[in-house]
């Protein structure tokens, strides 16, 4: 086991945090809950630093801790019905691991792609992610049904994903 | 919308029923393609959330403050760093700059502080008699070091309190109105309302000119005294200190026990200048920094941010020249982007249509406007990969040979909002910066273009030669923007 210093661990954590957060979000989508679980994951990662072998990739190790933290949290809250089974969780961890090398580029592309959205789409994104409103609240705010909001949000997310993918291809990252 | 898309949307919006979750599991199980699609969708969800957090103004974390102050115009409201800029503009700024001292005075009365702490539910172990020195106004994805106290927005810090941040970003407002952004990993000890000690990591501090007292930051190798400014300090793991000045000026002083010596035998750094101070007290120029376009974050690390098209920038200036730095801003070329490191000037579109689309969102370099006076300057920009390289050249100047021979004039134009400026003779002309495209445009720049089909060095010269300089009455340094070159265009 190659020991790691707290500084090294902090650097690794800084690089991995976005992906770990997204992974947690795939298992616990509520923003506030996900942030709490990220905090707990970080605390456990630092507490278990001596178990991390720096000769091995950091992200899978951190994802393993996150997975444990989420499952334990859900178990305590008796929310286990809303947790994916072990096989899917494992597949998700692998998928996020694969996405990790272009997370930064995707974030940068997103800022450009957002600018290309229509004014109405930008407003929807703002209400959902800035004001943290759910579809029923967004619908009430702008006078359309929650179902329509869900359809529109889905289209906007799809549009952004296509745009991001196109830009990543242009940069040779796909 | 397919059923799978509906299920993903319901999951992300926390609207899934038990049945939905079961169906989503069924769709994911044994289907790697859908697992990947789901992961990408969640990642997008997270990035949108992250963008929201980074772009949002400061939360009103100061309980009860909004009804204590009168919202008014805040002096010097436009600062570099949009997060801070947004924070110091308007009502929130009024709360920060005017309301906090009021709150602290109430806190110091004892009753006010203890009541405040009780209301916040903060640790009862903290003695309420400790004089407040600063307050957390924001924590952003903060991860605290093991065994460190987990601070949160609204917490009050007194002298001796330590902020030990493993990851993320936090903001503190000192009682003296100094606003500090600390980026983890970092360790900071608050000494008083006007002093702090940075043990490791980096911090960016803004002190308004009107602040009654100077703010002092100590590091293992130096002390930095603000002279009405925004400045950044980073302490490396080995203890070396890096100081960069974004606005105003600072003075470097040694500790009594340090090789620089104590007292007032300081060395001044002005806007756009940076220095690294080692344990012997020696100062060397910091030639370039990476600067975040949205928040007051910067670094001098040798490794570039993963997505930057610009790998490095350097020039031929000797050690005897001012210790200026170039600021590389990945993805930062947009309306009101700061043009130079030594001026407040901003890039803007000439009219309401904004900046040319082919430049928007590009990586750009904040150059040093005072280089317009040099006829021997050579700037070398190293590109990380194929790209389109743009030079924004002042419209009133003839194109020098190095530009006209290797670049093509696109015919596009961009504008510059100069803001306040000094007339020859030293008279300060007040022309407040405006916000957005097509407003307060003072001069125009021609957009020149060159296509680079691989990683390479691009060499740029002075704006004119020595003979031409004699006849110039109006001049400005050029800007540099780099955009990705699409694969199809590079073939």
């Amino acid at each position: 086991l190659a020991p790691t210093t707290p500084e090294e661990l902090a650097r690794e954590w800084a690089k991995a945090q976005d992906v770990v957060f997204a992974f947690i979000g795939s298992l616990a989508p509520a923003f506030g809950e996900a942030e709490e679980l990220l905090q707990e994951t970080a605390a456990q990662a630092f507490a278990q630093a001596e178990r991390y072998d720096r000769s091995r990739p950091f992200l899978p190790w951190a994802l393993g801790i996150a997975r444990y933290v989420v499952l334990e949290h859900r178990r305590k809250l008796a929310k286990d019905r809303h947790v994916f089974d072990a096989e899917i969780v494992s597949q998700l961890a692998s998928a996020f691991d694969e996405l990790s090398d272009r997370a930064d580029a995707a974030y940068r592309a997103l800022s450009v792609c957002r600018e290309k959205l229509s004014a109405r789409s930008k407003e929807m994104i703002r209400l959902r992610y800035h004001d943290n409103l759910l579809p029923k609240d967004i619908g009430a705010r702008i006078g359309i049904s929650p179902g329509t909001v869900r359809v529109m949000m889905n289209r906007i997310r799809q549009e952004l994903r296509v745009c991001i993918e196109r830009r990543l291809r242009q940069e040779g990252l796909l | 919308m397919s059923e799978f898309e509906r299920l993903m949307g319901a999951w992300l919006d926390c609207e899934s029923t038990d049945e939905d979750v079961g169906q989503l599991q069924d769709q994911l199980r044994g289907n790697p393609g859908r697992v990947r699609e789901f992961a990408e969708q969640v990642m997008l969800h997270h990035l949108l959330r992250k963008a929201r957090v980074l772009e949002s103004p400061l939360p009103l974390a100061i309980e009860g403050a909004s009804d204590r102050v009168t919202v008014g115009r805040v002096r010097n409201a436009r600062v570099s760093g949009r997060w801070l800029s947004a924070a110091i503009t308007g009502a929130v700024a009024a709360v920060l700059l005017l309301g906090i001292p009021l709150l602290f005075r109430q806190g110091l009365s004892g009753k006010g502080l203890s009541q405040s702490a009780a209301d916040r539910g903060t640790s009862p172990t903290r003695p309420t008699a400790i004089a407040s020195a600063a307050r957390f106004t924001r924590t952003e994805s903060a991860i605290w070091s093991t065994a460190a106290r987990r601070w949160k927005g609204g917490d009050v810090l007194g002298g001796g309190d330590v902020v030990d941040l493993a990851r993320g970003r936090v903001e503190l407002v000192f009682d003296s109105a100094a606003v500090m952004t600390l980026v983890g990993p970092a360790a900071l000890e608050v000494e008083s309302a006007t002093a702090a000690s940075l043990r490791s990591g980096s911090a960016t501090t803004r002190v308004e000119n009107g602040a009654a007292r100077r703010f002092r930051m100590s590091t293992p190798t130096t002390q930095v005294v603000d002279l009405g400014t925004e400045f950044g300090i980073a302490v490396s793991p080995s203890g070396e200190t890096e100081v960069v000045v974004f606005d105003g000026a600072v003075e470097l002083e040694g500790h009594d026990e340090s090789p620089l010596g104590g007292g007032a035998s300081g060395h001044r750094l002005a806007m756009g200048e940076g220095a690294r101070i080692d344990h012997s007290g020696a100062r060397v120029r910091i030639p370039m920094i990476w600067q975040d376009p949205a928040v007051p974050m910067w670094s001098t690390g040798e490794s570039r941010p993963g997505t930057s098209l610009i790998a490095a920038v350097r020039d031929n200036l000797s050690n005897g020249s001012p210790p200026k730095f170039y600021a590389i801003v990945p993805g930062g070329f947009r309306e009101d982007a700061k043009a130079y490191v030594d001026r407040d000037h901003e890039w803007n579109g000439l009219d309401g249509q904004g900046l040319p689309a082919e430049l928007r969102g590009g990586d750009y370099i904040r150059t040093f406007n005072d280089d317009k006076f040099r006829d021997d300057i050579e700037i070398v920009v190293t590109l990380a990969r194929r790209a389109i390289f743009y030079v924004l050249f002042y419209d009133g100047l003839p194109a020098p040979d190095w530009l006209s021979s290797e670049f093509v004039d696109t015919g596009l134009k961009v504008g510059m909002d100069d803001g306040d400026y000094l007339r020859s003779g030293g008279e300060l002309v007040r022309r407040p910066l405006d916000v957005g495209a097509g407003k307060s445009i003072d001069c125009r720049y021609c957009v020149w273009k060159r296509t680079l089909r691989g990683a390479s060095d691009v060499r740029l010269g002075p704006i004119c030669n020595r003979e031409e300089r004699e006849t110039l009455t109006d001049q400005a340094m050029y800007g540099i923007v780099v955009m990705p070159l699409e694969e199809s265009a590079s073939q």
Side-chain angles (χ1 to χ4, degrees):
Chain A
L1 193 72
T4 185
T5 66
E7 291 77 16
E8 289 171 334
L9 197 72
R11 277 195 291 273
E12 293 289 352
W13 176 258
K15 287 188 286 187
Q17 182 187 242
D18 273 347
V19 178
V20 174
F21 196 14
F23 173 66
I24 290 172
S26 74
L27 306 177
F31 290 144
E33 185 181 22
E35 286 178 350
E36 286 290 322
L37 292 171
L38 181 70
Q39 285 276 351
E40 183 58 30
T41 301
Q44 294 214 13
F46 280 88
Q48 299 174 30
E50 75 280 1
R51 296 187 188 176
Y52 169 58
D53 181 351
R54 68 178 175 183
S55 67
R56 302 173 68 85
F58 177 79
L59 182 60
W61 183 74
L63 290 173
I65 293 176
R67 174 184 172 183
Y68 168 81
V69 167
V70 174
L71 295 179
E72 186 65 13
H73 172 73
R74 290 270 162 155
R75 188 186 62 75
K76 286 178 185 172
L77 295 180
K79 282 186 172 181
D80 50 346
R81 285 179 302 171
H82 273 55
V83 174
F84 296 137
D85 64 35
E87 178 194 346
I88 293 174
V89 171
S90 176
Q91 289 180 344
L92 280 169
S94 298
F96 280 105
D97 193 14
E98 289 176 15
L99 290 174
S100 64
D101 59 351
R102 52 182 181 276
D104 285 346
Y107 179 63
R108 183 180 163 194
L110 174 61
S111 67
V112 177
C113 294
R114 280 181 61 185
E115 290 303 311
K116 295 181 176 178
L117 293 175
S118 67
R120 188 172 182 82
S121 295
K122 286 178 183 171
E123 175 65 4
M124 299 278 287
I125 290 292
R126 190 188 67 78
L127 291 170
R128 178 67 184 94
Y129 293 99
H130 182 278
D131 295 354
N132 202 16
L133 298 181
L134 293 176
K136 61 181 175 56
D137 303 313
I138 295 173
R141 182 76 67 91
I142 61 179
I144 59 177
S145 72
T148 304
V149 172
R150 293 184 188 103
V151 172
M152 291 177 66
M153 285 301 303
N154 185 63
R155 285 179 183 159
I156 296 168
R157 288 171 181 147
Q158 184 65 16
E159 186 179 345
L160 289 171
R161 279 182 57 199
V162 168
C163 175
I164 290 170
E165 187 174 322
R166 185 168 59 243
R167 293 191 69 83
L168 294 184
R169 284 189 194 287
Q170 287 173 357
E171 294 191 18
L173 296 174
L174 281 181
Chain B
M1 180 165 60
S2 70
E3 179 63 7
F4 182 54
E5 289 168 342
R6 185 193 72 78
L7 292 169
M8 285 195 298
W11 178 258
L12 294 176
D13 291 334
C14 307
E15 294 183 332
S16 295
T17 63
D18 288 349
E19 188 178 354
D20 286 339
V21 175
Q23 288 181 10
L24 184 57
Q25 285 214 74
D26 290 343
Q27 300 241 11
L28 293 172
R29 188 174 292 113
N31 192 329
R34 287 204 159 153
V35 169
R36 183 182 178 83
E37 185 178 352
F38 181 61
E40 288 178 350
Q41 191 80 316
V42 175
M43 180 64 87
L44 171 64
H45 188 68
H46 166 67
L47 295 179
L48 283 164
R49 164 74 172 167
K50 177 181 175 181
R52 189 282 300 175
V53 170
L54 292 179
E55 291 167 6
S56 66
L58 280 172
L60 290 169
I62 306 158
E63 302 89 337
S66 58
D67 60 357
R68 295 176 192 272
V69 296
T70 301
V71 175
R73 180 173 175 78
V74 178
R75 191 186 157 279
N76 203 9
R78 292 171 57 100
V79 296
S80 63
R82 284 161 194 274
W83 179 38
L84 198 55
S85 177
I88 299 185
T89 304
V92 178
V95 171
L96 287 178
L97 300 179
L98 305 175
I100 282 177
L102 174 64
L103 290 175
F104 281 136
R105 282 195 294 276
Q106 291 175 340
L108 282 168
S109 69
K111 178 176 182 295
L113 179 61
S114 60
Q115 182 62 48
S116 167
D119 290 346
R120 290 192 314 273
T122 50
S123 169
T125 60
R126 180 171 173 71
T128 56
I130 290 178
S132 66
R135 177 180 289 237
F136 269 97
T137 49
R138 182 185 179 107
T139 63
E140 167 55 43
S141 300
I143 305 296
W144 305 104
S145 299
T146 307
R149 176 168 175 176
R150 295 184 177 193
W151 300 96
K152 62 181 185 301
D155 280 354
V156 173
L157 300 93
D161 275 338
V162 173
V163 180
D164 197 350
L165 185 66
R167 162 74 172 144
R169 193 173 74 235
V170 300
E171 185 182 86
L172 301 84
V173 177
F174 285 75
D175 202 1
S176 58
V179 181
M180 180 184 295
T181 301
L182 192 66
V183 179
L188 176 93
E189 180 177 346
V190 173
E191 296 176 358
S192 70
T194 57
S197 174
L198 185 65
R199 300 171 180 172
S200 64
S202 71
T204 303
T205 306
R206 182 163 191 91
V207 186
E208 295 299 314
N209 285 330
R213 290 167 287 177
R214 297 296 184 213
F215 192 83
R216 179 182 296 266
M217 281 276 280
S218 300
T219 74
T221 59
T222 191
Q223 294 188 72
V224 181
V225 183
D226 90 272
L227 302 173
T229 187
E230 181 178 357
F231 63 96
I233 301 180
V235 177
S236 71
S238 65
E240 286 188 334
T241 300
E242 294 175 329
V243 183
V244 292
V245 180
F246 300 111
D247 192 10
V250 301
E251 193 156 82
L252 306 181
E253 295 178 356
H255 297 299
D256 289 341
E257 67 278 15
S258 79
L260 276 176
S265 56
H267 175 85
R268 182 171 290 205
L269 289 177
M271 181 180 187
E273 296 180 344
R276 182 177 294 112
I277 302 101
D278 66 16
H279 289 284
S280 72
R283 294 182 294 268
V284 296
R285 172 192 177 195
I286 294 173
M288 56 166 265
I289 68 167
W290 303 100
Q291 192 168 24
D292 190 288
V295 294
M297 289 172 59
W298 58 279
S299 73
T300 61
E302 293 181 359
S303 59
R304 67 188 167 90
T307 57
S308 176
L309 296 164
I310 303 170
V313 56
R314 63 183 190 276
D315 60 28
N316 59 343
L317 298 184
S318 67
N319 287 337
S321 301
K324 65 177 185 179
F325 60 82
Y326 296 95
I328 302 173
V329 190
F333 195 74
R334 56 185 74 163
E335 299 296 338
D336 304 313
K338 293 290 182 188
Y340 304 111
V341 292
D342 59 342
R343 300 286 196 284
D344 281 335
H345 306 347
E346 296 179 344
W347 295 115
N348 281 116
L350 286 176
D351 53 33
Q353 293 187 344
L355 291 164
E358 65 183 90
L359 296 176
R360 276 181 231 152
D363 298 355
Y364 84 105
I365 297 175
R366 295 176 63 190
T367 53
F368 214 67
N369 196 28
D370 274 353
D371 279 346
K372 66 186 179 182
F373 301 119
R374 305 188 68 106
D375 51 38
D376 59 347
I377 184 80
E378 181 182 66
I379 299 173
V380 181
V381 180
T382 302
L383 297 181
R385 54 182 179 273
R386 64 177 185 267
I388 305 175
F389 195 102
Y390 295 92
V391 173
L392 314 182
F393 199 79
Y394 191 64
D395 200 12
L397 291 173
D401 289 345
W402 63 263
L403 182 64
S404 58
S405 63
E406 297 189 358
F407 289 76
V408 175
D409 188 349
T410 64
L412 298 170
K413 299 279 194 295
V414 297
M416 176 84 75
D417 181 357
D418 283 351
D420 297 345
Y421 69 95
L422 280 174
R423 277 201 183 115
S424 55
E427 181 193 359
L428 178 63
V429 178
R430 292 283 183 193
R431 301 222 317 204
L433 290 163
D434 212 327
V435 179
K439 299 175 183 173
S440 185
I441 301 300
D442 297 295
C443 49
R444 296 150 51 107
Y445 287 69
C446 303
V447 179
W448 293 71
K449 170 182 175 180
R450 180 180 170 191
T451 300
L452 284 305
R453 303 193 183 280
S456 55
D457 282 354
V458 180
R459 294 177 184 277
L460 310 171
I463 62 168
C464 62
N465 60 36
R466 189 162 299 175
E467 292 72 33
E468 291 168 331
R469 178 167 309 289
E470 303 300 323
T471 63
L472 292 180
T473 56
D474 197 13
Q475 57 200 324
M477 188 57 179
Y478 47 80
I480 299 165
V481 182
V482 182
M483 294 292 287
L485 175 62
E486 294 180 16
E487 195 165 4
S488 57
S490 68
Q491 294 170 350

